[in-house]
Amino acid sequence: MRYGALLRLIMIDPLKSIGALRSEEEDEERVGFGSHNLYASDFSLFSALPCFPWQEFFSANGFRDPFPAVIYGSDEGELLYQKVMAYFDTLAQIPSLRCSFGLSYREECTGSIGFLEIELMAKIEPSSWKNVGQDAHIILPYIFQSVALWVANEVRAPEDPMPLVSAESFAPLVENDTEGYRATFLLRLPTTLPE
């Protein structure tokens, strides 16, 4: 369900006669980009898999063909695709893995800007991140970007353009008995770009 697709309530004004209802437009709450802060403490990382930026990922790894043609026209492309999918499988096997995010907005002269912080954490165990290891620096930033793209799509109203997503930071994180990674992103509507 899209975040912007909320049920509208028709409110009865007790000061008016019982049969007089306000119009839906008067009571409709504005939904869409910049209207609500969001927080998810246990987001399903795999919900964002359809938003994985495959084209950008393959381009950054030296492939020119468009996705999905790159995985069918090149053995190297297919191997890289299989590596990413195996990485997701490895993450799925970490029982304590938790993905959380928080999105808040700040008004600037160019409009609302969203600040999105995403954390991917697991209990510190010898096996937690060991198997994830070598490919983390290659694949994890794109996994975080897929979550950011998922959030961007969810917070926009149907008539709004897709918010632009730009990465701000990506760093390892250790807190108490958990370790993982944190990434931050900026989200803004294309019409709010500084000139």
Side-chain angles (χ1 to χ4, degrees):
M1 180 175 113
R2 290 188 43 83
Y3 179 76
L6 296 177
L7 296 175
R8 287 184 247 165
L9 299 176
I10 299 174
M11 303 293 288
I12 296 176
D13 188 344
L15 300 176
K16 294 185 178 184
S17 68
I18 196 74
L21 299 177
R22 291 187 207 163
S23 74
E24 289 182 31
E25 292 174 5
E26 286 178 16
D27 291 322
E28 186 176 317
E29 183 180 4
R30 182 195 166 331
V31 293
F33 187 82
S35 64
H36 293 82
N37 294 336
L38 293 178
Y39 178 73
S41 61
D42 194 7
F43 175 72
S44 171
L45 179 65
F46 305 100
S47 296
L49 183 58
C51 298
F52 192 88
W54 290 109
Q55 186 62 47
E56 186 177 329
F57 175 75
F58 279 105
S59 293
N61 282 284
F63 293 90
R64 295 185 190 269
D65 291 338
F67 180 81
V70 66
I71 64 174
Y72 300 113
S74 154
D75 289 341
E76 294 85 13
E78 183 180 1
L79 287 173
L80 186 55
Y81 177 78
Q82 289 174 356
K83 184 183 253 187
V84 172
M85 296 313 290
Y87 190 80
F88 271 107
D89 187 49
T90 301
L91 289 176
Q93 294 178 36
I94 301 173
S96 64
L97 184 71
R98 295 290 176 265
C99 180
S100 62
F101 68 78
L103 172 66
S104 59
Y105 296 93
R106 182 174 73 211
E107 283 296 319
E108 294 191 354
C109 60
T110 57
S112 293
I113 295 179
F115 294 90
L116 176 63
E117 184 175 83
I118 304 166
E119 292 183 357
L120 189 59
M121 305 290 287
K123 294 239 185 257
I124 297 175
E125 299 168 8
S127 61
S128 288
W129 293 102
K130 180 178 74 174
N131 296 331
V132 175
Q134 297 175 0
D135 298 324
H137 69 285
I138 297 170
I139 300 170
L140 265 177
Y142 294 97
I143 291 174
F144 278 96
Q145 186 178 353
S146 66
V147 174
L149 290 168
W150 184 90
V151 170
N153 186 55
E154 290 296 308
V155 298
R156 71 185 179 98
E159 65 276 1
D160 287 344
M162 180 71 167
L164 301 172
V165 175
S166 58
E168 292 291 301
S169 67
F170 176 74
L173 180 64
V174 176
E175 290 181 354
N176 300 324
D177 65 338
T178 60
E179 63 182 348
Y181 296 87
R182 175 184 291 151
T184 57
F185 295 84
L186 288 181
L187 281 65
R188 50 174 100 224
L189 290 177
T191 56
T192 61
L193 288 174
E195 296 178 16

